[in-house]
Amino acid sequence: MKALMNRPDDIVREALEGMALAHADLIRVEQDPRYVLRADAPVPGKVALVSGGGSGHEPMHGGFVGSGMLDAACPGEVFTSPTPDQIFAAGQAVHGGAGVLLIVKNYTGDVLNFQMAAELLADSGIPTETVLVDDDVAVTNSLYTAGRRGVGATVLAEKICGAAAAAGFPLTEVARIGREVNAGARSMGLALSPCTNPQAGQPSFTLKDDEVEFGIGIHGEPGRSRIPMATADELTQLLLKPILEDLPHTQGDEVLLFVDSLGATPLLELYVVHRAAERIARDAGLQVSRRLVGPFMTSLDMAGVAITLLRLTPELRRFWDAPVRTPALCWGSPA
């Protein structure tokens, strides 16, 4: 494989060192144990949000640390869950007196390690709540998880919960809002090409030139089926159909439409998909009132796209619109 790296075993550490240099006004990085935290942490009196997962999904999660979003993120090795000691140390470092909310994607390793860290935090006297994200409608079980996988709704939960915490909501309310995001979000993705883990040095799966992996997981897990390559409009229709069938909604509901690159897909193609997705959602009777397009939860160098729909209540819409300033997302004035 060709990659801009030195030694595969050093890629996560060196990437975090570069991230700390590039965004020194927003974040700090600790290496032992390893976590990213906002530069002004801890924030007194505010619920602290902590998330994390395997590296290779950048900017998820470290790119979402900052004002109005996460207080800390715990990066594991590539496609490997962070350890309980990382999560525990991060929670201690950002706890400002109002408790810690853990936002966890539904992958077995993440769930077990965050659960252990939550127990350690509680035993140390820090109030802790957990929001589990499992929005992927592609498959019920996969190589990495029991139940549905957590994918694009994680980004939305981190943004919306971050705004609720910045607004001064208590821990139980911020957790409630996070669970509401998960309950109202559905996602599905497809891959045009595999990803290559730098530590393995070879593609995680193979696809023929005329094949698409439909319902792909963010670690390269198999999806629902392999289907022939088709036009962007046709593939977008195939992605939206199971999302709309599973999404709890009524005619006229407002939704946020999130079109996400899996890593290698250019914006030129993402906007073609977004164009089709917005038309399909509108034809289904939904009002697309908020949008997010770009590479926000990736899978190394995988080419493909994932779509998430979130049903917006007035409360969720208000928190989505609130100011945020992180390495990967920035709008409005700093909170």
Side-chain angles (χ1 to χ4, degrees):
M1 65 173 294
K2 292 181 180 178
L4 296 172
M5 64 179 178
N6 297 308
R7 296 177 62 251
D9 289 347
D10 295 334
I11 192 168
V12 174
R13 176 181 59 81
E14 292 180 351
L16 289 171
E17 290 173 357
M19 186 179 182
L21 291 169
H23 304 289
D25 58 326
L26 299 175
I27 63 169
R28 309 195 312 267
V29 172
E30 298 290 338
Q31 292 282 5
D32 188 20
R34 185 174 287 162
Y35 58 91
V36 181
L37 70 165
R38 53 188 288 175
D40 58 350
V43 181
K46 187 188 82 68
V47 172
L49 271 62
V50 178
S51 192
S55 297
H57 304 301
E58 289 73 22
M60 173 71 71
H61 295 268
F64 303 135
V65 173
S67 174
M69 215 159 170
L70 294 177
D71 293 86
C74 303
E77 294 299 327
V78 175
F79 291 177
T80 303
S81 302
T83 59
D85 66 304
Q86 287 177 263
I87 304 159
F88 176 53
Q92 287 185 307
V94 298
H95 174 50
V100 172
L101 178 68
L102 304 176
I103 299 178
V104 186
K105 302 188 301 299
N106 188 35
Y107 296 94
T108 302
D110 288 8
V111 171
L112 293 175
N113 290 349
F114 272 88
Q115 183 179 40
M116 187 176 297
E119 293 171 359
L120 293 171
L121 289 167
D123 289 345
S124 69
I126 298 176
T128 307
E129 291 267 2
T130 298
V131 169
L132 185 67
V133 181
D134 59 352
D135 55 308
D136 188 357
V137 302
V139 294
T140 302
N141 298 290
S142 74
L143 299 178
Y144 287 75
T145 189
R148 289 182 170 180
R149 303 176 292 214
V151 287
T154 316
V155 179
L156 312 183
E158 290 176 358
K159 168 64 186 79
I160 289 170
C161 289
F169 279 54
L171 178 60
T172 55
E173 279 296 287
V174 180
R176 174 191 64 79
I177 290 163
R179 293 174 189 131
E180 184 177 345
V181 170
N182 183 61
R186 298 292 186 271
S187 302
M188 173 79 90
L190 62 82
L192 305 179
S193 70
C195 59
T196 302
N197 188 323
Q199 293 171 320
Q202 58 187 12
S204 56
F205 59 95
T206 58
L207 276 176
K208 296 178 182 177
D209 289 345
D210 60 350
E211 283 184 329
V212 172
E213 185 74 33
F214 181 66
I216 191 73
I218 59 171
H219 308 94
E221 309 99 304
R224 289 188 173 189
S225 59
R226 292 201 171 174
I227 62 174
M229 185 62 188
T231 67
D233 285 1
E234 291 167 338
L235 292 175
T236 304
Q237 178 72 57
L238 288 174
L239 287 177
L240 263 296
K241 185 176 186 293
I243 291 173
L244 290 167
E245 288 173 347
D246 205 275
L247 180 74
H249 69 279
T250 58
Q251 289 283 315
D253 278 352
E254 284 189 55
V255 293
L256 184 156
L257 172 59
F258 175 23
V259 177
D260 193 21
S261 165
L262 295 184
T265 308
L267 276 169
L268 182 71
E269 297 174 30
L270 292 184
Y271 285 127
V272 173
V273 171
H274 179 87
R275 165 186 170 273
E278 185 147 342
R279 173 183 52 77
I280 293 165
R282 185 175 63 247
D283 290 347
L286 298 174
Q287 178 186 348
V288 180
S289 63
R290 298 295 184 271
R291 302 155 180 89
L292 185 66
V293 181
F296 294 106
M297 186 178 189
T298 63
S299 185
L300 294 169
D301 57 343
M302 186 186 293
V305 66
I307 297 175
T308 302
L309 281 180
L310 169 65
R311 186 170 56 86
L312 284 175
T313 64
E315 181 181 49
L316 297 186
R317 183 178 67 246
R318 174 167 64 91
F319 288 135
W320 179 259
D321 291 342
V324 61
R325 189 165 180 257
T326 75
L329 285 177
C330 184
W331 62 73
S333 301

